[in-house]
Each structure stands twice: as structure tokens, then as C-alpha cells.
Amino acid sequence: MWLLLTLVLFFFLATSFTFVLIFYKKAKKAEQVLSEREQELTRRIYETSILKEIGERIGYSLDVANVIEIICGSLGKLFSYSTASSILLSDHKIIFKCVLEESVDKVFIENIKHKMLASLSALLNEDIAEREMEEVISGTVLDEEKQHPLGSFFNIPLVIESQIVGLINIASEKQGLYKEEEMTILYRITAQASDAISKLQHVLKTEKGKLDSMVSSMADGVIMTDKDTKLLVVNPKAKEMLGISSDKEATIFDMVDALAGKFDLRTKIEESIKKEKEVFIEELELANFAIQLVISPVRDPQGAILGSVILLHDITSQRDVERLREDFTAMVVHDLRAPLTVIRGTSETLMLHLKALPREKTTQSLSMMKEESENMLARVSDLLDLSKLESGKFELLRERSSLSSLINEKIETFRDVATAKKLGILANVKLNIPEFEFDRIRTGQVLDNLISNAIKFTDIGKITVGAKLEGNDVLVTVSDTGVGIEEKDVGMIFNKFRELTQAERSAQRGTGLGLVIAKGIVEAHGGEIGVESKVGEGSTFYFTLPFNPLPKRRFFQRSQLTSAGFQV
């Protein structure tokens, strides 16, 4: 009986122990799973917080060192370490930073540095150990009293746009400290941060490319500096204006030298930045350009000064036109004053000595006054015609007329003047030009000007006036064997503000507006005017008039009109 009770008790105890053991194991496993989940949650929270901090602190900055600082500065939330180090490649220089979380000696740091350099050299397939290095050691104090062996470490490469730009190292004195989970999460954070910077860099490069293209194609010169007057941007037009070779990598000193003796660029940039105001120069004469120069401070969205932008606006053409306008005004005033002076002087003489002067002398003086009055009236008429042309108020009186008869009439008008210079003058008009509608008086004015100029500038030879049908136009030409026109002046010959040579001024009386008005008259008809010339051989001025022949008149017999009910 006792044996049976003993067996039952033993079985009960064994069963209970088994249940307790199973429960303990399940509880232990559940605790382990819970711990792992808690660790995973902690890692995820850490990862999210780090990425959030990177996003907030970087914004639109491409500062890779800032990213490394954020990552290394928050590693304590993930695992323990003795040092967090980084190497960053920058302009043929290496920046090595080491943050001491625990006290180590210099040998420990040197060991880390050599291992990082070796790893980075292998990744780049290039020995970078000989490059200039900048070192920054921070954190807790060094401990040189005892040795600190390197127990555990791992490296994480930093890759931006498929280019390795640096390395992050985590190291500890303890052996076998770092597991794959810790390394994976740090690698993932670094990779995501690198990817974010790569995308931002790509966007900024694209936008910068668009901006560079726009700035390069601008007609104005553009220069941009930072707040330390370091040159950031200079477009081709600015180099051209300042006489700097387009192939040269320009600096701010090149800009300063180009303006030396004319304008203190650097001082004015500093003044604009310091006083936060615009500097404006109305006109600045350079070797081949006249420019307006504006210096403006550049601010970020928060209003902080980033640097300055210098705009060089080419005013060479405006300056030249203004000078020509002034010369033209002076010429017109002179040409109006000359006949008035003659008229005033002659009239004063007549008033004072009318009775004493012979009749012949009096008649001569009156004729001179009449001639000068007519000259002055012609000048005023030119100015009025020009004013009407420019204001769009110039009107033509088109009527059916014969161009052939007009040309012959003008040739007879100028025959005596041509003969006096021993020049021939003749017509070469095709007989197939019927009557058509045009303004006979204004077209005669064009012919007067062209024939008159041909005679003035021809000393030997002849003047030929021709006309013929060409398609839907009548082509009129006035050719001479005179001095001709320089090729560079041909494009300006019909310009109101063209500069006259001394030879032209001495040979030409009047305002010099004849060709300008002739151009206006021809274009008002819907035609074109131009010139072909060769120096020493002569010129051919030509113009066209639209040819719209009138329908032929139909003549009726008296009997036809009577039978139709008309009284004749």
C-alpha cells in the first residue's frame, strides 16, 4: 500500500515538475521574444528619430559633414562604443574626426585611423594615405596611463550619387561587441541619408544647369559673389565686357583688375553687403563698351545676406545713338542758323543803305535773301516730313500717272546742273510700263534726292535713271560713276542719325535727311529702297513701287449709248 502511495506521489511530483519546467521555458521564451521586440522597436524609433533629425537639420543643405555629425552624435541610443570616427574627402584633402565616448589613448586612435584609411583606399582603389589630412579630436579626455587595445570595430561607407565620399567607424575596447543587427541599422540609416542627399544634389544640379544656361545666354553681364567677395558666377557676356578671355577660369581679382582706375569693384561690393543697399553707376566707359553697373545684396528667405550680384548692362548702342542725336540736333540748328544769318545781314544792309545801293546790287541782295529763304524752307519741310513719317501721319495722294514722263521731266530739270559739271545724264526706261497709281509729287521728291546726290558725288562720267517692270513691281534705278560708298556705311545710309564724313558735310548742304525721307515715301507706297555700291566705281540706288495697272477704258460708240437710254 505504501509502495502504491509512494508511486502515486512520485508521479504527481514528476508531472508537476514537468509542467513547471514547461511553463518556465515558455515564460522565458516569451520574455526573450518580448525583449527582442522591444529592442527592435527601440532600433526603429532610433532610426526614425535620426532620419527625422537629419531631415530637419539639413533641409536643402548638401553638407555631408553635418550628416556624419548627426549620426555619430546619437549612437549612444543604439549601442555602447569607445569612439565614433569619420573620414570625409574634400578638395584633395582628408578630414578625420574622432569623438571619444570613453577614454582611450593615442595609439587606439591611430590604429582606427590607419584601418579607416586602408579600408577607404581599398574601396576607392587608390592610396589616399599621402593626402593632406586635417584632424579633429573631441569628446572625453585621453588616457595615456594605460594601453587601450582595439577590441571591436566596423566601417560604414558614405556614398553620394554613386561616389564614395567618406567613411564612418564605430570602435570599442571590448571584444565581439557588435552584432549584425546594430551594424545593419546603422548601415541603413547612413544609406537613407546618403540617398536623400544624392536626390537633393541631383535636383539642385538640374536646377543649377537651367540657371547656368539662362545666365550664360543673357545679353547683360552677370557676376555673383559670396559675402567674402569670392567669385561664384560669371557669365560669358561679363567676361566679354571686361575683356577677360572666355577660356580663362576667372577670379574676383580679374574683375577688379579689369575695372582698375575706373571703378573700385571690391570696395563697392563690400559697401553694398555691409550697408545692405544697392550701388548704381549710371555710366562707366570700358575699352569696347559703355555700361551701367548695379551691385545688389543677395538675401536668403530669412533675410540673411548671402553675397552680392553685379549686373553689367550694355548701353553702348544707346550712348552712340544719343551722341548721334546730339550731333544731328547741332547740325540742324547750324543749317537753319546759316540762312537766317545771311537773311538778317542782307536785310540790315538794305535797310541802312537802300538809297545808296545801285539797283543791280539791290536786286542781287534780294535774290540772295529769296534763295536762302527757300533753302531754309526746304530744311523745315524736311523736318516736317520726317516728323509725319515717324508719327505715322504721312499721307500719299495716289493718282493715275506715267512714271516714264516723270523720269524724263526730272532728267530735264537736272540737265543744266549735270552739264555744268561736264556729266552726262540720260534715261533708260522700258517702254512697257503703262500708267498706274502712285503719288507723283512724292515720287518726284525721291527722284530729286537720288539724282541730286548722284550729281554731287560724281565728278567724271554720267548719271543713268532707269525703270522697268519686275514681277508685280516697277523697279527704278539711279546709277552714277562717282566715289561710291564704303561697305561699312551702306547699312547706315538711310539712318537719320548716321555720322557724315567730312567730305559729305562739305559737299552736302541741308539737313541730310533726303535719303531718310525717300525711304519713308517708298515704304509708304509699299515698296523697298536700297543701294549697291563699290568705292571708286560708283553707286546704284534703287527703289520699287507696287504696280497695280488700272483696267483699260472701254469706249462706246454714240449709237450704243443712245440705244441704251443715255442722252448724248
Side-chain angles (χ1 to χ4, degrees):
M1 185 65 179
W2 281 102
L3 181 60
L4 181 60
L5 288 172
T6 302
L7 290 172
V8 170
L9 181 61
F10 177 78
F11 178 76
F12 176 76
L13 290 173
T15 303
S16 298
F17 179 76
T18 301
F19 279 125
V20 170
L21 184 62
I22 292 171
F23 178 78
Y24 175 76
K25 286 183 177 180
K26 286 185 177 181
K28 199 70 175 174
K29 187 175 182 180
E31 184 180 350
Q32 184 180 352
V33 171
L34 186 62
S35 177
E36 288 175 357
R37 288 181 178 176
E38 186 177 346
Q39 289 176 7
E40 177 66 21
L41 182 60
T42 301
R43 285 194 292 267
R44 289 186 180 277
I45 292 173
Y46 166 74
E47 181 180 351
T48 303
S49 63
I50 291 297
L51 291 174
K52 182 174 182 293
E53 185 177 1
I54 289 172
E56 289 176 348
R57 289 181 58 181
I58 293 179
Y60 287 97
S61 169
L62 296 178
D63 191 352
V64 179
N66 198 12
V67 174
I68 295 174
E69 180 185 340
I70 295 168
I71 294 174
C72 293
S74 57
L75 292 174
K77 300 175 183 178
L78 185 62
F79 43 66
S80 63
Y81 61 94
S82 299
T83 59
S85 308
S86 65
I87 284 181
L88 186 62
L89 304 177
S90 173
D91 296 330
H92 306 291
K93 183 172 69 172
I94 297 173
I95 301 173
F96 172 73
K97 291 185 178 181
C98 182
V99 179
L100 278 61
E101 182 69 15
E102 299 172 351
S103 294
V104 295
D105 58 359
K106 288 184 179 179
V107 176
F108 185 96
I109 296 173
E110 286 297 316
N111 197 1
I112 292 170
K113 183 170 65 177
H114 288 310
K115 289 184 180 297
M116 292 178 72
L117 287 172
S119 177
L120 200 52
S121 295
L123 289 170
L124 294 171
N125 196 25
E126 173 190 356
D127 185 9
I128 63 170
E130 299 301 319
R131 291 190 189 183
E132 178 188 352
M133 181 176 289
E134 176 186 331
E135 293 189 10
V136 179
I137 311 297
S138 61
T140 191
V141 295
L142 290 170
D143 181 12
E144 298 293 349
E145 294 183 359
K146 63 176 183 178
Q147 292 184 343
H148 295 267
L150 178 59
S152 307
F153 76 92
F154 66 94
N155 295 321
I156 301 291
L158 195 61
V159 182
I160 306 294
E161 288 194 319
S162 303
Q163 297 291 321
I164 296 174
V165 298
L167 202 68
I168 295 176
N169 173 277
I170 308 301
S172 176
E173 293 182 74
K174 299 175 184 177
Q175 295 280 345
L177 183 62
Y178 303 117
K179 299 178 183 178
E180 186 178 350
E181 291 84 357
E182 285 87 353
M183 290 187 286
T184 300
I185 189 171
L186 187 59
Y187 180 83
R188 192 161 60 235
I189 289 171
T190 305
Q192 289 187 44
S194 300
D195 185 56
I197 292 179
S198 297
K199 289 178 179 177
L200 178 59
Q201 201 166 58
H202 178 71
V203 170
L204 292 182
K205 279 184 178 179
T206 302
E207 295 304 314
K208 186 177 182 296
K210 294 178 183 176
L211 183 62
D212 287 346
S213 297
M214 181 183 71
V215 171
S216 296
S217 63
M218 288 180 67
D220 289 329
V222 178
I223 302 169
M224 188 171 180
T225 69
D226 63 14
K227 59 184 178 181
D228 297 319
T229 67
K230 180 182 177 182
L231 189 65
L232 301 177
V233 174
V234 54
N235 72 341
K237 190 63 179 181
K239 287 185 177 181
E240 181 188 353
M241 288 179 175
L242 297 175
I244 299 170
S245 172
S246 59
D247 300 328
K248 184 176 182 180
E249 191 69 29
T251 67
I252 190 64
F253 301 106
D254 296 314
M255 311 288 135
V256 172
D257 291 343
L259 293 169
K262 303 180 182 72
F263 183 71
D264 189 348
L265 180 64
R266 195 160 188 174
T267 300
K268 292 298 182 181
I269 291 174
E270 291 170 353
E271 177 186 328
S272 175
I273 292 174
K274 184 178 180 180
K275 296 183 179 180
E276 299 187 13
K277 69 173 188 177
E278 189 176 88
V279 175
F280 178 73
I281 306 300
E282 181 70 31
E283 185 173 338
L284 194 62
E285 285 284 346
L286 303 181
N288 299 312
F289 293 90
I291 65 169
Q292 282 181 345
L293 188 144
V294 183
I295 305 174
S296 300
V298 178
R299 298 177 176 83
D300 66 12
Q302 287 71 44
I305 296 293
L306 297 176
S308 66
V309 62
I310 301 101
L311 182 69
L312 310 177
H313 179 53
D314 184 4
I315 58 169
T316 309
S317 298
Q318 296 95 307
R319 191 253 343 245
D320 291 345
V321 168
E322 184 59 34
R323 286 181 179 176
L324 290 172
R325 184 182 288 113
E326 290 172 0
D327 292 344
F328 172 76
T329 303
M331 179 188 71
V332 170
V333 170
H334 175 269
D335 287 340
L336 288 175
R337 180 183 294 167
L340 284 172
T341 302
V342 172
I343 293 170
R344 185 181 67 178
T346 305
S347 61
E348 286 177 352
T349 301
L350 289 174
M351 288 175 67
L352 293 172
H353 308 287
L354 181 61
K355 293 181 180 179
L357 287 174
R359 183 178 182 84
E360 182 181 343
K361 182 66 175 177
T362 302
T363 303
Q364 182 182 355
S365 296
L366 290 173
S367 297
M368 185 186 300
M369 289 176 63
K370 180 178 181 294
E371 182 182 349
E372 292 300 330
S373 298
E374 289 174 347
N375 287 336
M376 187 171 65
L377 183 60
R379 291 165 173 78
V380 173
S381 295
D382 283 350
L383 291 173
L384 289 174
D385 284 344
L386 180 65
S387 177
K388 289 178 181 179
L389 286 167
E390 290 182 339
S391 64
K393 296 179 180 178
F394 189 82
E395 295 181 355
L396 297 175
L397 180 60
R398 299 174 189 265
E399 58 184 357
R400 179 184 177 184
S401 187
S402 168
L403 183 63
S404 302
S405 67
L406 176 63
I407 290 173
N408 290 325
E409 178 184 309
K410 293 301 178 183
I411 285 176
E412 292 306 316
T413 301
F414 285 96
R415 188 172 298 281
D416 290 343
V417 180
T419 302
K421 290 188 69 175
K422 298 180 180 179
L423 299 174
I425 183 167
L426 55 96
N428 182 18
V429 179
K430 300 298 181 183
L431 299 176
N432 63 338
I433 304 176
E435 292 184 351
F436 66 102
E437 284 190 347
F438 65 95
D439 189 322
R440 185 180 179 88
I441 294 176
R442 291 299 188 179
T443 303
Q445 190 177 342
V446 175
L447 287 169
D448 284 342
N449 182 267
L450 297 182
I451 297 171
S452 174
N453 284 344
I455 294 172
K456 284 177 186 176
F457 297 108
T458 302
D459 295 324
I460 300 172
K462 62 182 179 179
I463 314 298
T464 304
V465 183
K468 63 179 180 178
L469 281 174
E470 280 217 347
N472 295 323
D473 297 317
V474 176
L475 175 66
V476 182
T477 58
V478 177
S479 302
D480 63 57
T481 55
V483 295
I485 304 168
E486 294 278 356
E487 185 177 352
K488 64 182 179 63
D489 295 327
V490 168
M492 291 286 290
I493 201 73
F494 297 101
N495 190 328
K496 177 176 72 172
F497 297 125
R498 73 187 182 96
E499 292 184 280
L500 300 177
T501 64
Q502 188 61 38
E504 286 181 297
R505 290 301 308 276
S506 60
Q508 178 173 301
R509 296 185 67 190
T511 59
L513 294 175
L515 289 175
V516 181
I517 294 169
K519 181 175 185 288
I521 292 171
V522 170
E523 289 181 350
H525 277 87
E528 296 179 354
I529 191 169
V531 60
E532 294 177 355
S533 184
K534 193 169 184 180
V535 175
E537 294 185 10
S539 305
T540 296
F541 282 81
Y542 61 87
F543 66 92
T544 62
L545 296 175
F547 178 64
N548 300 307
L550 295 174
K552 292 183 178 179
R553 289 186 178 181
R554 182 180 177 187
F555 294 95
F556 296 92
Q557 297 293 330
R558 181 183 295 268
S559 59
Q560 290 177 301
L561 292 173
T562 305
S563 62
F566 290 94
Q567 292 184 354
V568 181

